[in-house]
Amino acid sequence: MKTKTFVWSVILIFLVSWSNISVSSAQTLKPQDILKQKYPNETIKLIKTADINLDKKNESFIITEIGNFYLINAKGYVVLIDTGFSSDGGHDEVNIQIFSVTNKEKHIAITASYLPSNTEMYVYRLQDGALKQVLKVKGDVDVQIDKQGRVHQLWKKFKSEGGWNIAEGIFTWNTTISKYKGTGNYILQ
């Protein structure tokens, strides 16, 4: 009886230690390596890594050459979030920004520009382990994020007599309703 208990104990210890090794080695892999294992044909164009949910573990955000946008969470899982962020999708320049909207929450913005001056911004929020799009705006002059985490949409408001003035819409994260609220002269897509 003691022998059986000993054998099962050894087997249990082996299984527990083996599962810990595979988890710990997955956590030490770089995001580039994790993406390459899952999608060997993808080439990384941009990568940003930060702790956006304040759990003291980094998440990584990757845009590939073909325009795919991926999240790699702290456990090493790869999730395709969106597509079309490439020159084939009409975008000449793409950027990833991570910014604070409150002391306890950060958002991720993909800024995609195309000539001559149009800029689109897609803002995502990490919720329930997935990125959810919470704002999509376009500015034919620019779209920017200020130090307070507000999104500024700048666009041309054409005058009836010709020419144009810059119009500005400002989007602020509202924690009560978990949405961006627009003020000023804004246009939603």
Side-chain angles (χ1 to χ4, degrees), residues 7-24:
V7 170
W8 283 111
S9 298
V10 170
I11 291 172
L12 181 62
I13 290 170
F14 173 75
L15 289 174
V16 168
S17 65
W18 179 76
S19 66
N20 286 340
I21 289 170
S22 63
V23 169
S24 64

Side-chain angles (χ1 to χ4, degrees), residues 18-141:
W18 179 76
S19 66
N20 286 340
I21 289 170
S22 63
V23 169
S24 64
S25 66
Q27 292 172 347
T28 59
L29 286 176
K30 294 178 183 177
Q32 301 90 320
D33 299 332
I34 294 170
L35 185 73
K36 196 54 123 177
Q37 284 179 352
K38 178 96 175 171
Y39 299 104
N41 295 330
E42 290 275 30
T43 303
I44 294 174
K45 182 175 186 175
L46 290 169
I47 185 169
K48 294 274 181 160
T49 299
D51 175 15
I52 64 163
N53 58 357
L54 307 175
D55 64 353
K56 297 184 176 33
K57 297 175 186 173
N58 285 332
E59 292 80 28
S60 295
F61 309 94
I62 296 173
I63 295 181
T64 63
E65 289 292 336
I66 62 170
N68 292 333
F69 175 42
Y70 293 98
L71 159 68
I72 299 178
N73 70 15
K75 294 180 181 178
Y77 294 114
V78 180
V79 181
L80 176 64
I81 303 300
D82 212 341
T83 61
F85 296 112
S86 69
S87 56
D88 292 343
H91 300 108
D92 298 310
E93 293 181 30
V94 179
N95 192 17
I96 301 172
Q97 294 174 284
I98 299 169
F99 63 102
S100 296
V101 291
T102 68
N103 290 340
K104 297 180 181 182
E105 186 168 359
K106 294 180 182 181
H107 288 182
I108 296 86
I110 305 297
T111 308
S113 302
Y114 50 98
L115 296 174
S117 66
N118 292 326
T119 303
E120 291 179 316
M121 183 176 285
Y122 305 80
V123 180
Y124 299 88
R125 174 184 195 213
L126 187 62
Q127 184 179 2
D128 301 325
L131 284 181
K132 304 209 182 207
Q133 187 178 38
V134 290
L135 181 66
K136 179 181 175 184
V137 294
K138 180 191 267 186
D140 57 2
V141 175

